[in-house]
């Protein structure tokens, strides 16, 4: 299959790299020709910086920041390519005007220099009509083992979940890291605990294994903890999470 | 070494099981003789339900709920055993009156029917005086590869961190699980994301890899997400975490 990319960030990087193994990646288009070239070299494609230089392909993947999708889409002149974006939050209607468009959304957090195992990642597709959905599903299923259809409403809700378990979990760790650092301790002390916390979700419902002072309603420990936290943001997190744990289980 | 336990809950269970491999576990004491017997059978010890039946040992480990430690300690009549509790939050002064007392705090979340790898777990010790600390450290270091001294103030702060990355992370997952369930979706969609979120902490500082609508200050997506969340607890979590991510990085 012939696939091109608009974008050279993390999502484009990981998708292009993975898809290049069993497809032909034709062009990498990025405002920065230099960035396009770095990725193009890795996947044996041609780097371009002008959207008007795009060639017809089987699949054109727009993997850019959400707020650039619509403008880029309007500049694309291809007639016979299926065009998709990869956003968790944006409607495929941003691609309106093209003959065949849709979504290819790999639900994962991508970081440069970290290998991603696409065999584990759910990939969600949506199509501008039933034919496009059917074509896109076929393309996706050839390339990814874990493909699902999803409508826009559901995808947005799924993205809320992704924000909860990725962005917010990461922030809890960032806050804790800073708190330990300020108190001359090392995050290494907590890593086995974090890992076990997550390992458990394979065998248990999280609500069934909640522990700690909040669910025990151990107000003495809660008050002591709030005394020990100087940072106001961290204090507000502690208060809200404690309240919600108690409401969730009452 | 001769070791006995007061308590037959998760901590007692995991510690007794682990320590029985290279020590002699003498007695398991629990209010419920039946529970004591279940654990005693596993570690080849004697079950008792009366604290006055405790024999002298090298180490007596009190692994019970925080609020029972002091009462139990006062009922113990041993003269030559080192007595420790295993709490992340309570002072060793609860054990005052004994000749040699202290702390043996394995920092992990223990669940029945899940094997725990003590090689990874940091174990913190504290002693009622320098001699006791030295004896306890020796005992701990023979049995655990990852032993640290910690004072009460530091231990309480570390426990705040444990609450953040275990209790609160688990609650984020519980809330998300419920939210997806209410919207006819499955937590399985998010598991690879959760795993990658945590896997990253080995190579990156959490604050350096924060992503999402909050840090992008993408108010349109934030508002849409808040519209999609009906539950008031979950909404308050979303609002506070978003605010804190923005404050943390500004």
């Amino acid at each position: 299959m012939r696939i091109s990319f608009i974008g050279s960030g993390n999502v484009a990087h990981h998708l292009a790299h993975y898809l290049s193994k069993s497809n032909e990646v034709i062009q990498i288009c990025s405002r920065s020709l230099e960035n396009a070239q770095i990725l193009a070299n890795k996947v044996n494609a041609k780097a371009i910086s002008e959207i008007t230089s795009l060639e017809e392909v089987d699949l054109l993947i727009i993997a850019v920041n959400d707020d650039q999708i619509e403008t880029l889409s309007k500049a694309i002149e291809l007639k016979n390519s299926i065009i998709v974006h990869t956003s968790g939050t944006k409607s495929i209607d941003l691609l309106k005007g093209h003959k065949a468009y849709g979504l290819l959304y790999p639900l994962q957090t991508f970081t440069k220099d970290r290998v991603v195992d696409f065999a584990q990642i759910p990939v969600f597709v949506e199509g501008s009509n039933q034919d496009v959905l059917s074509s896109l599903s076929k393309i996706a299923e050839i390339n990814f083992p874990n493909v699902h259809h999803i409508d826009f409403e559901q995808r947005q809700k799924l993205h809320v979940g992704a924000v909860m378990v990725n962005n917010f979990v990461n922030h809890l760790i960032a806050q804790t890291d800073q708190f330990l650092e300020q108190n001359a301790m090392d995050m290494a002390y907590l890593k086995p605990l974090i890992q076990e916390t997550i390992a458990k979700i394979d065998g248990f419902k999280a609500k069934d294994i909640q522990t700690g002072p909040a669910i025990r309603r151990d107000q003495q420990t809660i008050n002591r903890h709030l005394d020990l936290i100087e940072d106001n943001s961290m204090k507000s997190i502690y208060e809200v999470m404690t309240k919600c744990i108690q409401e969730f289980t009452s």
Side-chain angles (χ1 to χ4, degrees), chain A residues 43-76:
Chain A
V43 297
N44 201 21
K46 198 174 152 195
I48 59 172
S49 64
E50 292 297 328
I51 223 160
T52 48
S53 307
L54 283 168
E55 300 169 22
E56 295 284 351
V57 283
D58 298 301
L59 183 65
L60 175 67
I61 300 175
I62 306 181
V64 299
N65 287 343
D66 285 355
D67 52 8
Q68 296 166 21
I69 297 171
E70 194 166 16
T71 313
L72 287 169
S73 170
K74 285 184 173 152
I76 295 168

Side-chain angles (χ1 to χ4, degrees), chain A residues 85-150:
Chain A
H85 70 60
T86 60
S87 164
T89 56
K90 291 297 177 184
S91 165
I92 61 170
D93 290 347
L94 294 183
L95 307 177
K96 230 172 192 161
H98 295 287
K99 203 174 72 185
Y101 58 92
L103 171 87
L104 185 83
Y105 170 44
L107 179 42
Q108 184 52 288
T109 170
F110 297 100
T111 315
K112 253 179 185 136
D113 305 326
R114 270 190 68 84
V115 176
V116 157
D117 178 8
F118 277 93
Q120 303 298 323
I121 299 176
V123 172
F124 297 90
V125 293
E126 209 183 321
S128 49
N129 62 44
Q130 203 52 49
D131 284 351
V132 174
L133 178 60
S134 163
S135 303
L136 253 178
S137 298
K138 268 183 217 147
I139 295 174
E141 279 159 12
I142 290 167
N143 286 290
F144 304 98
N146 196 354
V147 175
H148 308 273
H149 295 181
I150 195 163

